[in-house]
Amino acid sequence: MTGTGQLLGYARVSTGHQSLDQQTDALTAAGVDPTRIYTDKLTGTSTKEQRPGLAALLDYARSGDVIVVVGIDRLGRNAAEVMLTIRDLGERGIVIRSLREGIDTSNATGRMIAGVLASLAELELELQRERVAAAKAARKARGGNIGRPPKLTPAQIRQAEELRAAGEPVDQIAETFGVGRDAVYRALRKRAATGENR
């Protein structure tokens, strides 16, 4: 696999107030045409679907093209996303070149390094799943709640039920206890379903 197509660039920053200039300058210096640099400015925990720059790049790129990034981490918000993007592009015959890590998947060494990164990302995901499962098992063994902790105490739920029976709006009840309306509705539904009336 060799990069015989176009040189494309991708730059991403994690917050709206950060500048893309440093990355775009580095990509231009690496030979990428400024009109072929795709960019995203993300806030919060944006999903892949909320990255129009990356989506447009992946849609435009063809087999033989080379995607240049400043760092391999620019291809995703976490290791799993980076791994999936590397794999998908590799399957499409698209080369990835990372300036910081010196990765170039057009050669065997670059593909090996990308493969190691992908394997490490996969291992990280597996270990994370194991840690979550172990934490749930430990909570269950101690008789703790598995899901999110309840927002209202049993006493508060009884009080909320009394307020509701007296005609108090759910919005007002939620404000009284400092929780969202959904928490009040959930608590009242659960109480009604379990048949608790005292």
Side-chain angles (χ1 to χ4, degrees), residues 20-174:
L20 289 158
D21 294 348
Q22 190 176 356
Q23 289 180 58
T24 54
D25 287 351
L27 294 174
T28 304
V32 182
D33 182 332
T35 63
R36 284 286 163 238
I37 296 176
Y38 296 79
T39 62
D40 281 314
K41 281 193 173 190
L42 306 183
T43 54
T45 54
S46 303
T47 63
K48 198 170 187 175
E49 291 72 30
Q50 294 169 315
R51 279 173 265 166
L54 181 60
L57 170 63
L58 296 178
D59 185 56
Y60 180 83
R62 297 290 177 265
S63 179
D65 287 349
V66 177
I67 293 177
V68 184
V69 289
V70 171
I72 204 77
D73 62 327
R74 298 299 87 194
L75 292 172
R77 294 299 298 263
N78 54 48
E81 279 187 11
V82 172
M83 172 194 75
L84 289 171
T85 304
I86 288 172
R87 191 181 66 199
D88 292 348
L89 291 172
E91 287 173 357
R92 292 172 55 191
I94 298 165
V95 172
I96 301 166
R97 191 172 296 155
S98 173
L99 303 177
R100 186 193 307 136
E101 293 90 354
I103 295 172
D104 185 334
T105 59
S106 67
N107 62 57
T109 304
R111 287 195 294 278
M112 183 206 64
I113 293 169
V116 169
L117 284 174
S119 297
L120 288 172
E122 206 161 348
L123 176 64
E124 179 187 295
L125 273 180
E126 190 56 39
L127 290 173
Q128 189 175 355
R129 278 195 289 267
E130 285 178 13
R131 283 193 295 269
V132 169
K136 280 185 178 178
R139 281 200 303 274
K140 190 174 183 180
R142 290 194 304 268
N145 285 320
I146 300 300
R148 289 184 296 181
K151 297 224 179 208
L152 294 169
T153 66
Q156 288 174 323
I157 294 170
R158 280 195 298 276
Q159 194 177 352
E161 192 176 45
E162 288 165 9
L163 289 168
R164 189 76 185 110
E168 191 80 19
V170 171
D171 286 348
Q172 191 60 50
I173 298 169

